[in-house]
Amino acid sequence: MSRTYRIAIVGCGGIANGKHMPALSKLKNIEMVAFCDIVEERAVEASAKYGAEGALVYTNYKELLRDATIDVVHVCTPNDSHADIAIDALEAGKHVMSEKPMAKTAHDAQRMVDAAKRTGKKLTVGYNNRFRTDSQHLKKICEQGELGEIYFAKAHAIRRRAVPTWGVFLDEEKQGGGPLIDIGTHALDLTLWMMNNYKPKVVLGTSYHKLSQRENAANAWGPWDPAKFTVEDSAFGMIVMENGATISLESSWALNTLEVDEAKCTLSGTEGGADMKDGLRINGEKHSRLFTTEIDLKAGGVAFYDGATERDIDLEMRMWIKAIDEDTEPVVTPEQAFVVSQILEAIYESAKTGKAVYL
């Protein structure tokens, strides 16, 4: 690394404290110098725990952006504000990492892509599941063509009963949706990345409010308030790509099922298949016999790192700062993240209209 980068955190809530700030604090070539939150107390607490000497606290992100010494801005706010904050930061000459999903709408996501191109600043989105050890290994297998042409895939984001009851997760106006845009977005990003296919043609989707109005429901974080549960509890989609490949996307916070998988994918190609359901398994046919191989992920390195195991969020932050330092493309490009938002929005639209959406 050639220099130390000065970073600002906008939004000092759960995702900033659970992911961004602790992971960034492990890097020797960064300083967190500004913290912004509409609740000043949260910004003060974040600054006290993670801030460099002289770090400043703000309640208005636009004031923060006037500081010409800030190099990078991390946007950790509700979905509906990602675009405006990210675009303003890019226009102010900062590199930007936005938390996932890229934006509440595909239109806003496109605005972000355009702003990054216009300003020449780097923009990425926090799809940290790409950096897991199993994801890194499977990506290498896909890139080397071991699965052949991947023409069918499943994106899994299913919880039995794990509805987030804090913050604005249940607020459709702030978030744009429920499990589809919250956890389905991770599974879809992972699947598209493995397939290296970003040209969707048509989308058909359904969404449900079947369990959201239950009183005193069993839930990992305690019962939800049905009156505040304004988003779907489940959503499903079928995506057909321009080359004919099909993706099935399943997402739910609450579903009567024992098949629980989150941020995983299943791939079927002409030369083999893979899934993440029970570790990482590769399947295929050799010498007129079927085979299944379980990959030992405890040994060896990953595509970007050799040596001791590194947590996905730590690797994500390290590779992001490295992309800035070496002036290379981030692992998650804005163009890729836009396609994820485009498909998610199409699923919601199809669910409302009952019609397929052509892209």
Side-chain angles (χ1 to χ4, degrees):
M1 295 292 180
S2 60
R3 52 168 289 198
T4 297
Y5 293 90
R6 292 168 60 84
I7 296 181
I9 307 294
V10 179
C12 299
I15 196 65
N17 280 280
K19 169 184 167 181
H20 291 254
M21 295 187 294
L24 285 169
S25 69
K26 296 179 181 180
L27 300 176
K28 295 180 180 180
N29 64 315
I30 72 98
E31 292 179 341
M32 284 178 270
V33 298
F35 300 84
C36 180
D37 199 287
I38 57 175
V39 179
E40 186 174 14
E41 181 181 353
R42 287 201 293 247
V44 170
E45 290 176 356
S47 179
K49 187 172 183 179
Y50 294 105
E53 185 177 352
L56 299 176
V57 167
Y58 299 84
T59 55
N60 186 333
Y61 79 89
K62 292 186 178 181
E63 295 178 4
L64 174 155
L65 295 180
R66 297 191 189 112
D67 185 345
T69 70
I70 292 173
D71 303 300
V72 185
V73 172
H74 281 226
V75 181
C76 306
T77 59
N79 299 346
D80 66 339
S81 60
H82 287 182
D84 286 342
I85 297 172
I87 291 168
D88 287 345
L90 291 164
E91 298 283 6
K94 324 297 185 188
H95 302 294
V96 175
M97 171 178 274
S98 171
E99 202 23 71
K100 63 79 193 169
M102 189 172 192
K104 178 181 171 181
T105 68
H107 173 72
D108 278 348
Q110 183 64 65
R111 290 172 54 220
M112 293 167 70
V113 173
D114 294 342
K117 290 179 179 178
R118 184 171 61 249
T119 61
K121 292 298 175 179
K122 297 191 186 301
L123 171 64
T124 195
V125 176
Y127 286 117
N128 55 278
N129 286 287
R130 291 193 189 190
F131 298 87
R132 298 189 329 237
T133 304
D134 59 343
S135 301
Q136 289 287 307
H137 192 83
L138 181 54
K139 178 62 174 177
K140 188 182 295 184
I141 288 172
C142 293
E143 286 180 335
Q144 292 177 352
E146 293 181 37
L147 303 185
E149 176 195 352
I150 302 170
Y151 59 91
F152 178 65
K154 295 179 182 180
H156 309 286
I158 295 291
R159 297 174 182 173
R160 186 180 181 188
R161 289 293 190 284
V163 177
T165 53
W166 63 92
V168 296
F169 280 102
L170 304 183
D171 186 338
E172 185 173 12
E173 183 62 30
K174 290 286 186 184
Q175 292 293 89
L180 178 62
I181 204 169
D182 176 42
I183 57 175
T185 190
H186 274 301
L188 180 57
D189 172 73
L190 201 60
T191 304
L192 294 172
W193 186 55
M194 294 300 175
M195 298 174 76
N196 191 27
N197 191 341
Y198 290 92
K199 294 183 178 180
K201 179 181 179 181
V202 60
V203 174
L204 184 66
T206 55
S207 66
Y208 299 95
H209 297 262
K210 297 295 187 181
L211 305 182
S212 60
Q213 300 308 301
R214 302 282 174 97
E215 298 279 355
N216 300 313
N219 190 47
W221 295 291
W224 57 80
D225 182 350
K228 295 180 180 179
F229 206 141
T230 62
V231 298
E232 81 279 359
D233 52 47
S234 299
F236 309 92
M238 185 179 81
I239 306 103
V240 179
M241 310 302 282
E242 283 188 7
N243 71 344
T246 300
I247 299 172
S248 172
L249 170 59
E250 53 185 33
S251 65
S252 183
W253 284 334
L255 191 70
N256 288 322
T257 180
L258 296 179
E259 292 188 19
V260 176
D261 292 295
E262 189 170 336
K264 296 180 182 180
C265 64
T266 298
L267 308 174
S268 297
T270 54
E271 302 304 316
D275 71 66
M276 299 169 145
K277 284 183 166 287
D278 185 16
L280 177 57
R281 302 182 300 185
I282 309 300
N283 67 81
E285 176 187 3
K286 283 185 178 180
H287 309 298
S288 302
R289 297 288 182 177
L290 299 178
F291 72 87
T292 303
T293 301
E294 296 182 9
I295 306 298
D296 182 1
L297 296 171
K298 296 178 181 179
V302 294
F304 301 117
Y305 184 71
D306 290 318
T309 300
E310 188 174 18
R311 292 194 311 165
D312 58 342
I313 60 174
D314 297 334
L315 179 58
E316 176 188 30
M317 294 303 164
R318 185 165 66 81
M319 295 307 301
W320 162 232
I321 300 301
K322 183 179 180 182
I324 295 171
D325 192 65
E326 298 182 354
D327 193 22
T328 57
E329 269 199 343
V331 175
V332 180
T333 70
E335 291 82 6
Q336 293 170 342
F338 163 74
V339 174
V340 176
S341 291
Q342 185 184 34
I343 292 173
L344 295 178
E345 184 172 274
I347 292 174
Y348 281 127
E349 182 181 345
S350 175
K352 288 178 181 178
T353 64
K355 299 178 181 178
V357 175
Y358 288 83
L359 301 174

